[in-house]
Amino acid sequence: MATADERNRGIHIGEVHGAFAIGDHNTVTHNEHTTGRPGADPAHEELLTAVRQLREDLARVVETPQVTLLSAELTDAQEEIETTGSTAPGRLDRLRTALADAGTVTGMLASGAAVGQAVAALLGG
């Protein structure tokens, strides 16, 4: 005897995690990434966390040309890390320069120091 669910709506599948196949002659491939970023290393994960925090902090300070440039560099760095798992050396150099140029603001923010330290570590000093 069919249940009420089977009579009214056919087959019901609740939540599915992973990979599955229904029917004959199916092939299932399941690839899972833990971070969502290919090749992300701990140093870039640390930089990403610091970049996100500094971007939040900069949203609360007075906008200057230096802060605007730094915000743009932070946005680009965040997108690059989230997409590729790392940053190009040129991006790190631009970020370090933008941090220095906005030093009067970033010097007062712990998040600014964290980004500076993470960039220095990735650039080797």
Side-chain angles (χ1 to χ4, degrees):
M1 181 166 178
T3 66
D5 217 13
E6 292 168 333
R7 285 191 306 266
N8 296 329
R9 294 185 289 172
I11 297 172
H12 173 74
I13 300 173
E15 291 186 38
V16 176
H17 299 279
F20 70 95
I22 298 174
D24 296 331
H25 312 293
N26 290 307
T27 301
V28 176
T29 303
H30 179 71
N31 296 310
E32 189 170 323
H33 299 282
T34 56
T35 64
R37 285 176 287 283
D41 64 79
H44 278 93
E45 288 295 326
E46 182 178 329
L47 175 59
L48 180 60
T49 299
V51 162
R52 286 176 176 152
Q53 183 62 54
L54 181 54
R55 287 186 67 208
E56 287 178 24
D57 290 345
L58 288 179
R60 294 183 286 275
V61 302
V62 174
E63 191 76 19
T64 66
Q66 293 82 11
V67 169
T68 300
L69 179 62
L70 176 56
S71 293
E73 289 296 338
L74 291 168
T75 298
D76 291 346
Q78 180 176 340
E79 289 173 359
E80 187 172 359
I81 297 168
E82 289 174 344
T83 303
T84 68
S86 64
T87 55
R91 166 112 31 238
L92 293 173
D93 288 334
R94 289 189 302 276
L95 186 53
R96 180 170 40 189
T97 300
L99 279 168
D101 291 347
T104 56
V105 173
T106 59
M108 298 182 300
L109 301 170
S111 57
V115 170
Q117 291 170 353
V119 168
L122 285 165
L123 288 172

